[in-house]
Amino acid sequence: MITRVIRVENTDSTKELLQEAGDIIKKGGLVAFPTETVYGLGGDALNSQSSRKIYEAKGRPSDNPLIVHIADLEHLAPIVKEIPENALKLAKAFWPGPLTMILPKSDLVPFETTGGLDTVAIRMPSHPVAKAFIEAAGGYVAAPSANLSGKPSPTTAKYVIQDMDGRIDMIIDGDGVDIGLESTIVDLTSKEPMILRPGYITEEMLTRVLGSVAVDQTILSDNSKVAPKAPGMKYRHYAPKGELTIVEGDADKVVAYINAETEKHRKKGEKTGVIGTSEVAALYKADSVKIAGSRENEELFARQLYTFLREFDDEDIAFMYAESYNTEGIGQAIMNRLLKAAGHKVVTV
Ligand code: TXA
Ligand code: MG
């Protein structure tokens, strides 16, 4: 299959192009598109055949449900059994934006899209290109992140092309994304709303709107013993090719430990990488040092994390080290992704 790549900088001058993209979805094809979180791999959410194609293109197990993307609140009612009060509150506060809600599905949504579940994940993205594309596609676009299964989610078109060229009909290149980590997922089907995946919309922000919110205990723990509630969270996602270790402790000890480790690897001829904050980055001696910005600016770190992991792959780095983060605010999402990328390998110094 030949994959067409189109560049869309703004939605006005490219209306016709986006309509072509929408028509591909309507005919059962697949199109990757930018959102404010990461790039998505879209197909018609109401067409079981399209969802099957998505799993195939990603090489993803088909028990891992997809998120249905909508562009208009009016499109919510037809795909769910009921709209609870909490869903309306969250939609008002955070849609369009990086929040996904789990609700009981209606018969309109095929089980292929929900991985066999009676519930459906729904998100209304804020990215203007995503919005225009979803509208052009008929209103319901099922989309996982546009990476091959097991790789970090793509935050630029370059990495979508690397993973998806030849596997899908079209890629919409809309530059880099804003947030860089996948949306926060909240389950509204249990008695108490529960965060299944942390993201830019934090526990604190959700608590302000809902009064209280539970957090799936597997988010920051090694989930090899307890199954996480979002099926996709059980996979060792976000994984770079090399081995990543998170190092926590006082800054000077962290630097000393990482430098000692990289020295050992250098002697064996193994390439090393570090993700460090600008406060101490100049002190690292690894082959590739990625500066994640100031420790104070966690949003900047979030935006770059997946790119760093992909770059380490491009550079054939065999052993990587990352500083640890606080788990408050967006730090919860950062540590969740770092821990997964590291397969929960954490060293305390
Ligand atoms: O930011 C995002 O959410 C991106 C962009 C493209 O919108 N999408 C994304 O999709 O991250 P994906 O497929 O990579 O992750 C979807 C996650 C998986 O962990 C999946 O198991 C979970 O959502 N999920 C989907 N439907 C669910 C359901 N009905 N119940 C529980 N978890 C569900
Ligand atoms: Mg994904």
Side-chain angles (χ1 to χ4, degrees):
M1 179 187 290
I2 291 179
T3 304
R4 196 173 147 208
V5 180
I6 60 167
R7 242 195 90 67
V8 173
E9 273 148 85
N10 61 65
T11 50
D12 286 340
S13 62
T14 47
K15 253 203 154 107
E16 278 169 33
L17 273 178
L18 284 175
Q19 191 52 59
E20 280 182 52
D23 289 341
I24 292 174
I25 299 292
K26 285 180 179 167
K27 285 189 203 127
L30 303 184
V31 177
F33 63 102
T35 82
E36 70 278 18
T37 56
V38 299
Y39 273 74
L41 169 55
D44 182 352
L46 308 185
N47 178 343
S48 55
Q49 209 49 43
S50 298
S51 294
R52 281 207 197 99
K53 276 197 200 168
I54 291 177
Y55 291 116
E56 204 179 294
K58 269 184 76 91
R60 168 174 177 155
S62 59
D63 68 343
N64 188 356
L66 309 173
I67 295 175
V68 178
H69 294 68
I70 58 174
D72 188 333
L73 201 52
E74 305 243 303
H75 284 147
L76 178 60
I79 55 171
V80 298
K81 276 230 167 80
E82 56 185 4
I83 305 180
E85 188 64 34
N86 278 340
L88 287 177
K89 281 191 199 164
L90 289 179
K92 192 161 177 254
F94 303 116
W95 275 2
L99 179 75
T100 296
M101 294 186 225
I102 312 279
L103 292 167
K105 80 172 193 72
S106 77
D107 292 341
L108 208 57
V109 186
F111 284 109
E112 282 79 359
T113 300
T114 66
L117 298 175
D118 291 324
T119 56
V120 58
I122 307 151
R123 172 162 115 76
M124 189 194 292
S126 62
H127 196 298
V129 172
K131 182 173 164 24
F133 163 65
I134 294 163
E135 274 164 6
Y140 297 102
V141 175
S145 47
N147 52 285
L148 284 174
S149 193
K151 288 238 213 164
S153 296
T155 51
T156 60
K158 174 183 159 190
Y159 290 120
V160 181
I161 295 168
Q162 202 176 75
D163 281 13
M164 290 297 151
D165 189 30
R167 294 176 159 261
I168 60 177
D169 299 282
M170 185 184 266
I171 295 169
I172 304 174
D173 173 358
D175 289 333
V177 303
D178 223 35
I179 294 174
L181 298 180
E182 306 86 347
S183 61
T184 306
I185 302 180
V186 182
D187 184 359
L188 295 179
T189 63
S190 45
K191 234 196 243 143
E192 195 185 10
M194 182 185 271
I195 301 176
L196 305 190
R197 179 173 74 182
Y200 182 84
I201 306 293
T202 62
E203 187 181 338
E204 292 80 357
M205 290 157 82
L206 291 165
T207 304
R208 244 175 272 142
V209 175
L210 297 172
S212 75
V213 64
V215 182
D216 185 351
Q217 283 314 305
T218 64
I219 278 178
L220 294 174
S221 65
D222 187 345
N223 58 33
S224 54
K225 291 186 190 77
V226 188
K229 300 224 162 34
M233 299 294 278
K234 72 174 177 253
Y235 298 103
R236 186 181 165 231
H237 257 174
Y238 324 117
K241 280 191 235 153
E243 191 182 311
L244 174 66
T245 305
I246 301 168
V247 186
E248 63 178 19
D250 292 340
D252 50 344
K253 284 193 186 149
V254 168
V255 172
Y257 175 84
I258 293 177
N259 280 342
E261 289 300 300
T262 51
E263 187 52 32
K264 280 190 220 161
H265 289 301
R266 192 194 319 280
K267 284 192 180 135
K268 289 192 235 163
E270 295 158 343
K271 275 182 98 175
T272 53
V274 175
I275 302 176
T277 43
S278 53
E279 285 82 355
V280 292
L283 303 172
Y284 289 117
K285 303 201 166 71
D287 296 304
S288 176
V289 179
K290 311 286 181 198
I291 302 175
S294 162
R295 182 154 282 277
E296 306 296 306
N297 191 346
E298 296 192 331
E299 287 184 17
L300 180 61
F301 180 82
R303 195 179 307 142
Q304 302 173 99
L305 173 61
Y306 288 155
T307 305
F308 289 158
L309 296 177
R310 292 260 184 177
E311 284 173 358
F312 282 144
D313 279 357
D314 295 345
E315 296 161 18
D316 286 320
I317 304 293
F319 293 91
M320 293 155 286
Y321 300 88
E323 295 171 21
S324 182
Y325 274 79
N326 287 326
T327 55
E328 266 142 54
I330 197 179
Q332 190 178 55
I334 291 174
M335 279 311 286
N336 168 262
R337 304 319 194 269
L338 266 179
L339 283 164
K340 281 171 150 296
H344 287 270
K345 194 162 175 231
V346 182
V347 172
T348 307
V349 291

